[in-house]
C-alpha cells in the first residue's frame, strides 16, 4: 500500500499531497530520547506513535 501511495503522490501531487514523515528519526534528530514507539496502520498505510523525552543539556 505504501508503494502505491508513493507512486500516486509522484504522479498526482495535486491530489495526493502528503508524503511519509519518519517520526522516530525526526524526533531523535531534534535531540529527544525515544521512550515508546508503536507501529500502527491507517487505511493500510503505516504510521508510528512515538513518545520522546528531551535529553538533559549539561
Amino acid at each position: 500500500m505504501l508503494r502505491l501511495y508513493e507512486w500516486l503522490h509522484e504522479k498526482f501531487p495535486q491530489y495526493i499531497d502528503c508524503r511519509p514523515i519518519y517520526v522516530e528519526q525526526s524526533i531523535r534528530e531534534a535531540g529527544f530520547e525515544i521512550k515508546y514507539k508503536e507501529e500502527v496502520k491507517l487505511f493500510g498505510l503505516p504510521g508510528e506513535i512515538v513518545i520522546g523525552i528531551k535529553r538533559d543539556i549539561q
Side-chain angles (χ1 to χ4, degrees):
M1 189 68 169
L2 181 59
R3 287 184 189 160
L4 173 61
Y5 179 85
E6 289 174 340
W7 182 86
L8 287 169
H9 172 67
E10 183 179 321
K11 300 297 181 189
F12 306 102
Q14 68 274 26
Y15 301 110
I16 310 293
D17 63 350
C18 190
R19 60 178 168 69
I21 299 170
Y22 302 100
V23 177
E24 182 179 3
Q25 178 183 346
S26 297
I27 289 175
R28 284 187 195 280
E29 290 174 358
F32 288 81
E33 179 182 343
I34 304 301
K35 288 297 182 183
Y36 175 82
K37 177 183 172 187
E38 179 180 344
E39 295 182 5
V40 296
K41 296 267 185 192
L42 182 62
F43 304 111
L45 295 172
E48 296 176 328
I49 298 171
V50 181
I51 298 174
I53 298 176
K54 189 71 171 175
R55 296 184 194 131
D56 291 335
I57 300 174
Q58 297 178 358

